[in-house]
Amino acid sequence: MRGGAQRGLALGNLGLIENGAVLVQDGIIQEVGSSDAMLRKHPSEDKFDASGFVVLPGLVDPHTHAVWVGDRAREFEMRLQGKSYLEIMEAGGGIVSTVKAVRQSNVAQIVSESRSRLRTMFEHGTTTAEVKTGYGLSLDAELRLLEAILILDETEAIDLIPTFLGAHAVPPEFKNDVDGYTRLVCDEMLPGVKKWWQKNAGSRKLPFVDVFCETGAFNLAQSRRILETAKQLGFPLKIHADEFDNLGGASLAAELHAASADHLVVTSSSDIEALGNSETVAVSLPCTPFGLAEKEYSPAQEMLEKGVTLAIATDINPGTAWCENMQFAIALACRYLKLTPAQAIAAATINAAFAISQNQRVGSIEPGKQADLVLFDIPDYRHLGYRFGVNLAHTVIKKGKIYPIRGYDD
Ligand code: NIG
Ligand code: FE
C-alpha cells in the first residue's frame, strides 16, 4: 500500500508482494521486497517466519468512542421493541445515559473499563485508533476522559489519537438551551482543553475537535460555530454528519478543511461533490447501521466515482455499535458498501491513517514507517471480508515487537 492515500476509484491498490519479506530495525521498516532477495542481502538478521500468512499493515481504526464506562444493553432491547435511537435519546437515554455513568467515575475506573476493549481491538489487528471523548459534556468530566486516553496510550501497545468531542450531545442541564451549551463549548471548554493539553500532554499535537451535527444534537450553525472556534484555536477538525438526517455537515467539513467527515449515510450528491473536491476523508462506519439494524449504508460507490478519499472505521461505542473488530467492518464494507476486499483493506489502513493525519507514520508497509504489521492466518488476502465472525489475526507486530495472538498451541 505504498504511495499515499488512495483517492476515489484508485482505492484498492495493494501492491501485493508474493513471498515477501520485511526488514525491521528499532521498530521502523527498513526494506520491503521478495524473501529470496532479502535473505541473500541480509543473511544473518534475526528472522520471524511468516510463511503461509498474509502480512498486512496494522489496521487503523479512525473513528472510535472506545473510552466509556457501563453499558446500554437495556436500550438495545428497547430498540428491538420498536423505539428508535433518536427517540431513546430524546427521552433522556442514549449518549446522556453513558454521560451520567462517566460523570460518576474517576479516571482509574474509566481506564480500567476501557483497557479491555483496547486490548480486544489490538488482538484483532488494530495497531492505531482514534478515540473520542464526548461522554463527559462538562469541562471537568471531558478532561477526565482525555486523561484516560493519554494514560491508555502510554500503557497499552495500541497507539491512540485523541479527539475532543465535547459537542457529542446536549447535557441534561442544557436540555432546552442548545445555544447556551454551544457557547459553553466555544467560550470555556475549547480554551480549557487547550490550556490543559499544553500543560499535560507534553509536546503532543493538539487533539482533533469533533461535533455531532445532527437533529437532536447540534444544528449546522452551532456545528459551524464550534468548529470555527476550534480552528481559530489551532485544533484540527472532524465532524459526525448525516448519520440520520442531512444537515449539510459534510460540506461544512470540506469548507473548513476538516481531516474527515464521518458516518455519511444520508449524504447528498452535492455534499459528496464537495468532499471529492477537498482533502477531507469520508469515514464510513458500516458497523453502525448494522448495529442499529438499519437498511441504509454510506453511498460509497458514488463517493468513489466522485473522487472522494474513503476510509472505514468501527465507531465502537456503547449505543450503536459495540464492535472492537475492524475485520468485521471490512466484511460489512464488502457487502453493504460494495467494496472489493482490496478496497476495504486500503480503506482500513492507508486511507484510515490519512483520516487521522497519521499517514506519514502508519497505514502501509514501506520504509521509514513504524513496523506495525498483522499476520493473518489466511491463504489469500480476500479471505478478509469473505470470512467474518472470528478473529483471523495470528500475530500482531507493533513497533517491531511481536505479540502472539492465536494459533500458537499446536
Ligand atoms: O457515532 N453518533 C453519535 N455518536 C455515536 C453514538 C454514541 C452513543 O450512542 O453512545 C456514533 O454512533
Ligand atoms: Fe461516532
PDB file of all heavy atoms in Angstrom, residues 63 65 72 85 95 98 135 168 212 240 243 263 285 288 315 317-320, ligand 1:
ATOM      1  N   HIS A  63     -12.147   6.035  13.805  1.00  0.00           N
ATOM      2  CA  HIS A  63     -13.311   6.653  14.472  1.00  0.00           C
ATOM      3  C   HIS A  63     -13.790   5.695  15.562  1.00  0.00           C
ATOM      4  O   HIS A  63     -14.412   4.674  15.272  1.00  0.00           O
ATOM      5  CB  HIS A  63     -14.431   6.898  13.441  1.00  0.00           C
ATOM      6  CG  HIS A  63     -15.672   7.536  14.006  1.00  0.00           C
ATOM      7  ND1 HIS A  63     -16.316   8.599  13.390  1.00  0.00           N
ATOM      8  CD2 HIS A  63     -16.415   7.268  15.111  1.00  0.00           C
ATOM      9  CE1 HIS A  63     -17.383   8.947  14.094  1.00  0.00           C
ATOM     10  NE2 HIS A  63     -17.470   8.139  15.145  1.00  0.00           N
ATOM     11  N   HIS A  65     -15.290   5.509  19.887  1.00  0.00           N
ATOM     12  CA  HIS A  65     -15.672   6.101  21.181  1.00  0.00           C
ATOM     13  C   HIS A  65     -15.334   5.047  22.235  1.00  0.00           C
ATOM     14  O   HIS A  65     -16.164   4.674  23.050  1.00  0.00           O
ATOM     15  CB  HIS A  65     -17.172   6.385  21.225  1.00  0.00           C
ATOM     16  CG  HIS A  65     -17.708   7.231  20.101  1.00  0.00           C
ATOM     17  ND1 HIS A  65     -18.097   8.531  20.281  1.00  0.00           N
ATOM     18  CD2 HIS A  65     -17.937   6.961  18.785  1.00  0.00           C
ATOM     19  CE1 HIS A  65     -18.549   9.031  19.121  1.00  0.00           C
ATOM     20  NE2 HIS A  65     -18.463   8.098  18.202  1.00  0.00           N
ATOM     21  N   ARG A  72     -25.266  -0.241  27.638  1.00  0.00           N
ATOM     22  CA  ARG A  72     -26.639   0.173  27.345  1.00  0.00           C
ATOM     23  C   ARG A  72     -27.432  -0.996  26.742  1.00  0.00           C
ATOM     24  O   ARG A  72     -28.175  -0.838  25.773  1.00  0.00           O
ATOM     25  CB  ARG A  72     -26.627   1.406  26.418  1.00  0.00           C
ATOM     26  CG  ARG A  72     -25.755   2.560  26.971  1.00  0.00           C
ATOM     27  CD  ARG A  72     -26.338   3.921  26.831  1.00  0.00           C
ATOM     28  NE  ARG A  72     -26.608   4.306  25.462  1.00  0.00           N
ATOM     29  CZ  ARG A  72     -25.750   4.939  24.645  1.00  0.00           C
ATOM     30  NH1 ARG A  72     -24.530   5.270  25.074  1.00  0.00           N
ATOM     31  NH2 ARG A  72     -26.094   5.250  23.426  1.00  0.00           N
ATOM     32  N   TYR A  85     -33.370   5.094  17.839  1.00  0.00           N
ATOM     33  CA  TYR A  85     -32.218   5.662  18.548  1.00  0.00           C
ATOM     34  C   TYR A  85     -32.493   7.110  18.943  1.00  0.00           C
ATOM     35  O   TYR A  85     -32.230   7.517  20.081  1.00  0.00           O
ATOM     36  CB  TYR A  85     -30.981   5.566  17.634  1.00  0.00           C
ATOM     37  CG  TYR A  85     -29.705   6.081  18.243  1.00  0.00           C
ATOM     38  CD1 TYR A  85     -29.033   5.379  19.238  1.00  0.00           C
ATOM     39  CD2 TYR A  85     -29.139   7.283  17.806  1.00  0.00           C
ATOM     40  CE1 TYR A  85     -27.851   5.855  19.778  1.00  0.00           C
ATOM     41  CE2 TYR A  85     -27.963   7.764  18.333  1.00  0.00           C
ATOM     42  CZ  TYR A  85     -27.317   7.055  19.324  1.00  0.00           C
ATOM     43  OH  TYR A  85     -26.144   7.530  19.860  1.00  0.00           O
ATOM     44  N   ILE A  95     -26.799   8.665  24.516  1.00  0.00           N
ATOM     45  CA  ILE A  95     -25.488   9.167  24.910  1.00  0.00           C
ATOM     46  C   ILE A  95     -25.512   9.687  26.349  1.00  0.00           C
ATOM     47  O   ILE A  95     -24.602   9.422  27.146  1.00  0.00           O
ATOM     48  CB  ILE A  95     -25.039  10.273  23.920  1.00  0.00           C
ATOM     49  CG1 ILE A  95     -24.820   9.654  22.528  1.00  0.00           C
ATOM     50  CG2 ILE A  95     -23.788  10.986  24.411  1.00  0.00           C
ATOM     51  CD1 ILE A  95     -24.645  10.664  21.404  1.00  0.00           C
ATOM     52  N   THR A  98     -24.864   7.251  29.179  1.00  0.00           N
ATOM     53  CA  THR A  98     -23.441   6.952  29.390  1.00  0.00           C
ATOM     54  C   THR A  98     -22.747   8.146  30.054  1.00  0.00           C
ATOM     55  O   THR A  98     -21.837   7.983  30.872  1.00  0.00           O
ATOM     56  CB  THR A  98     -22.763   6.580  28.055  1.00  0.00           C
ATOM     57  OG1 THR A  98     -23.471   5.477  27.483  1.00  0.00           O
ATOM     58  CG2 THR A  98     -21.307   6.183  28.250  1.00  0.00           C
ATOM     59  N   TYR A 135     -18.372  11.701  26.490  1.00  0.00           N
ATOM     60  CA  TYR A 135     -19.312  11.157  27.473  1.00  0.00           C
ATOM     61  C   TYR A 135     -19.173  11.887  28.810  1.00  0.00           C
ATOM     62  O   TYR A 135     -19.559  11.361  29.852  1.00  0.00           O
ATOM     63  CB  TYR A 135     -19.091   9.649  27.642  1.00  0.00           C
ATOM     64  CG  TYR A 135     -19.448   8.848  26.411  1.00  0.00           C
ATOM     65  CD1 TYR A 135     -18.477   8.116  25.724  1.00  0.00           C
ATOM     66  CD2 TYR A 135     -20.753   8.821  25.930  1.00  0.00           C
ATOM     67  CE1 TYR A 135     -18.801   7.377  24.596  1.00  0.00           C
ATOM     68  CE2 TYR A 135     -21.091   8.089  24.801  1.00  0.00           C
ATOM     69  CZ  TYR A 135     -20.109   7.371  24.135  1.00  0.00           C
ATOM     70  OH  TYR A 135     -20.433   6.648  23.018  1.00  0.00           O
ATOM     71  N   HIS A 168     -20.877  16.294  21.706  1.00  0.00           N
ATOM     72  CA  HIS A 168     -21.388  14.972  21.292  1.00  0.00           C
ATOM     73  C   HIS A 168     -22.894  14.907  21.486  1.00  0.00           C
ATOM     74  O   HIS A 168     -23.614  14.246  20.768  1.00  0.00           O
ATOM     75  CB  HIS A 168     -20.698  13.897  22.141  1.00  0.00           C
ATOM     76  CG  HIS A 168     -20.914  12.496  21.677  1.00  0.00           C
ATOM     77  ND1 HIS A 168     -20.676  11.408  22.477  1.00  0.00           N
ATOM     78  CD2 HIS A 168     -21.329  11.993  20.491  1.00  0.00           C
ATOM     79  CE1 HIS A 168     -20.920  10.297  21.801  1.00  0.00           C
ATOM     80  NE2 HIS A 168     -21.330  10.623  20.596  1.00  0.00           N
ATOM     81  N   PHE A 212     -21.128  16.477  16.773  1.00  0.00           N
ATOM     82  CA  PHE A 212     -22.214  15.619  16.263  1.00  0.00           C
ATOM     83  C   PHE A 212     -23.258  16.540  15.634  1.00  0.00           C
ATOM     84  O   PHE A 212     -24.108  17.104  16.321  1.00  0.00           O
ATOM     85  CB  PHE A 212     -22.805  14.802  17.418  1.00  0.00           C
ATOM     86  CG  PHE A 212     -23.795  13.737  17.017  1.00  0.00           C
ATOM     87  CD1 PHE A 212     -23.913  13.264  15.713  1.00  0.00           C
ATOM     88  CD2 PHE A 212     -24.616  13.157  17.995  1.00  0.00           C
ATOM     89  CE1 PHE A 212     -24.823  12.256  15.385  1.00  0.00           C
ATOM     90  CE2 PHE A 212     -25.523  12.155  17.678  1.00  0.00           C
ATOM     91  CZ  PHE A 212     -25.634  11.706  16.378  1.00  0.00           C
ATOM     92  N   HIS A 240     -19.191  14.534  12.823  1.00  0.00           N
ATOM     93  CA  HIS A 240     -20.163  13.451  12.647  1.00  0.00           C
ATOM     94  C   HIS A 240     -21.291  14.054  11.806  1.00  0.00           C
ATOM     95  O   HIS A 240     -21.945  14.998  12.267  1.00  0.00           O
ATOM     96  CB  HIS A 240     -20.797  13.052  13.975  1.00  0.00           C
ATOM     97  CG  HIS A 240     -20.011  12.125  14.834  1.00  0.00           C
ATOM     98  ND1 HIS A 240     -18.829  12.467  15.420  1.00  0.00           N
ATOM     99  CD2 HIS A 240     -20.282  10.845  15.221  1.00  0.00           C
ATOM    100  CE1 HIS A 240     -18.402  11.430  16.146  1.00  0.00           C
ATOM    101  NE2 HIS A 240     -19.263  10.439  16.035  1.00  0.00           N
ATOM    102  N   GLU A 243     -25.716  10.929   9.836  1.00  0.00           N
ATOM    103  CA  GLU A 243     -25.994   9.578  10.343  1.00  0.00           C
ATOM    104  C   GLU A 243     -27.478   9.272  10.158  1.00  0.00           C
ATOM    105  O   GLU A 243     -27.837   8.168   9.737  1.00  0.00           O
ATOM    106  CB  GLU A 243     -25.582   9.481  11.824  1.00  0.00           C
ATOM    107  CG  GLU A 243     -25.825   8.097  12.441  1.00  0.00           C
ATOM    108  CD  GLU A 243     -25.302   7.963  13.879  1.00  0.00           C
ATOM    109  OE1 GLU A 243     -24.713   8.924  14.408  1.00  0.00           O
ATOM    110  OE2 GLU A 243     -25.496   6.883  14.464  1.00  0.00           O
ATOM    111  N   HIS A 263     -19.555   9.012   9.310  1.00  0.00           N
ATOM    112  CA  HIS A 263     -20.903   8.407   9.205  1.00  0.00           C
ATOM    113  C   HIS A 263     -21.347   8.468   7.737  1.00  0.00           C
ATOM    114  O   HIS A 263     -21.289   7.497   7.035  1.00  0.00           O
ATOM    115  CB  HIS A 263     -21.964   9.053  10.104  1.00  0.00           C
ATOM    116  CG  HIS A 263     -21.889   8.593  11.516  1.00  0.00           C
ATOM    117  ND1 HIS A 263     -22.242   7.331  11.903  1.00  0.00           N
ATOM    118  CD2 HIS A 263     -21.492   9.235  12.640  1.00  0.00           C
ATOM    119  CE1 HIS A 263     -22.067   7.205  13.211  1.00  0.00           C
ATOM    120  NE2 HIS A 263     -21.599   8.348  13.677  1.00  0.00           N
ATOM    121  N   LEU A 285     -18.936   4.146   8.498  1.00  0.00           N
ATOM    122  CA  LEU A 285     -18.967   3.334   9.723  1.00  0.00           C
ATOM    123  C   LEU A 285     -20.022   2.245   9.572  1.00  0.00           C
ATOM    124  O   LEU A 285     -21.114   2.340  10.139  1.00  0.00           O
ATOM    125  CB  LEU A 285     -19.282   4.242  10.918  1.00  0.00           C
ATOM    126  CG  LEU A 285     -18.456   5.532  11.013  1.00  0.00           C
ATOM    127  CD1 LEU A 285     -19.003   6.473  12.082  1.00  0.00           C
ATOM    128  CD2 LEU A 285     -16.997   5.215  11.305  1.00  0.00           C
ATOM    129  N   THR A 288     -22.339   0.685  12.302  1.00  0.00           N
ATOM    130  CA  THR A 288     -23.387   1.459  12.968  1.00  0.00           C
ATOM    131  C   THR A 288     -24.783   1.153  12.407  1.00  0.00           C
ATOM    132  O   THR A 288     -25.663   0.760  13.173  1.00  0.00           O
ATOM    133  CB  THR A 288     -23.033   2.955  12.940  1.00  0.00           C
ATOM    134  OG1 THR A 288     -21.727   3.074  13.490  1.00  0.00           O
ATOM    135  CG2 THR A 288     -23.998   3.773  13.751  1.00  0.00           C
ATOM    136  N   ASP A 315     -16.404   2.702  14.754  1.00  0.00           N
ATOM    137  CA  ASP A 315     -17.300   3.549  15.563  1.00  0.00           C
ATOM    138  C   ASP A 315     -17.586   2.929  16.928  1.00  0.00           C
ATOM    139  O   ASP A 315     -18.577   3.279  17.558  1.00  0.00           O
ATOM    140  CB  ASP A 315     -18.624   3.815  14.812  1.00  0.00           C
ATOM    141  CG  ASP A 315     -19.466   4.923  15.451  1.00  0.00           C
ATOM    142  OD1 ASP A 315     -18.885   5.812  16.115  1.00  0.00           O
ATOM    143  OD2 ASP A 315     -20.704   4.902  15.281  1.00  0.00           O
ATOM    144  N   ASN A 317     -18.784   2.030  20.231  1.00  0.00           N
ATOM    145  CA  ASN A 317     -19.420   2.857  21.264  1.00  0.00           C
ATOM    146  C   ASN A 317     -20.507   2.015  21.935  1.00  0.00           C
ATOM    147  O   ASN A 317     -20.913   0.990  21.395  1.00  0.00           O
ATOM    148  CB  ASN A 317     -19.997   4.140  20.632  1.00  0.00           C
ATOM    149  CG  ASN A 317     -21.261   3.875  19.831  1.00  0.00           C
ATOM    150  OD1 ASN A 317     -22.334   3.701  20.391  1.00  0.00           O
ATOM    151  ND2 ASN A 317     -21.137   3.795  18.499  1.00  0.00           N
ATOM    152  N   PRO A 318     -20.975   2.446  23.120  1.00  0.00           N
ATOM    153  CA  PRO A 318     -21.917   1.583  23.852  1.00  0.00           C
ATOM    154  C   PRO A 318     -23.346   1.630  23.320  1.00  0.00           C
ATOM    155  O   PRO A 318     -24.179   0.812  23.725  1.00  0.00           O
ATOM    156  CB  PRO A 318     -21.874   2.158  25.269  1.00  0.00           C
ATOM    157  CG  PRO A 318     -21.491   3.585  25.075  1.00  0.00           C
ATOM    158  CD  PRO A 318     -20.568   3.617  23.904  1.00  0.00           C
ATOM    159  N   GLY A 319     -23.646   2.589  22.411  1.00  0.00           N
ATOM    160  CA  GLY A 319     -25.037   2.747  21.980  1.00  0.00           C
ATOM    161  C   GLY A 319     -25.364   2.068  20.665  1.00  0.00           C
ATOM    162  O   GLY A 319     -26.288   1.264  20.570  1.00  0.00           O
ATOM    163  N   THR A 320     -24.588   2.390  19.640  1.00  0.00           N
ATOM    164  CA  THR A 320     -24.981   1.961  18.298  1.00  0.00           C
ATOM    165  C   THR A 320     -24.141   0.818  17.754  1.00  0.00           C
ATOM    166  O   THR A 320     -24.586   0.119  16.836  1.00  0.00           O
ATOM    167  CB  THR A 320     -24.887   3.140  17.305  1.00  0.00           C
ATOM    168  OG1 THR A 320     -23.520   3.595  17.253  1.00  0.00           O
ATOM    169  CG2 THR A 320     -25.771   4.297  17.726  1.00  0.00           C
TER     170      THR A 320
HETATM  171  O1  NIG B   1     -21.051   7.654  16.311  1.00  0.00           O
HETATM  172  N1  NIG B   1     -23.470   9.490  16.666  1.00  0.00           N
HETATM  173  C1  NIG B   1     -23.014   9.820  17.728  1.00  0.00           C
HETATM  174  N2  NIG B   1     -22.153   9.100  18.431  1.00  0.00           N
HETATM  175  C2  NIG B   1     -22.039   7.695  18.376  1.00  0.00           C
HETATM  176  C3  NIG B   1     -23.021   7.013  19.244  1.00  0.00           C
HETATM  177  C4  NIG B   1     -22.646   7.171  20.635  1.00  0.00           C
HETATM  178  C5  NIG B   1     -23.558   6.522  21.603  1.00  0.00           C
HETATM  179  O2  NIG B   1     -24.706   6.165  21.287  1.00  0.00           O
HETATM  180  O3  NIG B   1     -23.091   6.363  22.739  1.00  0.00           O
HETATM  181  C6  NIG B   1     -21.984   7.209  16.959  1.00  0.00           C
HETATM  182  O4  NIG B   1     -22.804   6.404  16.512  1.00  0.00           O
END
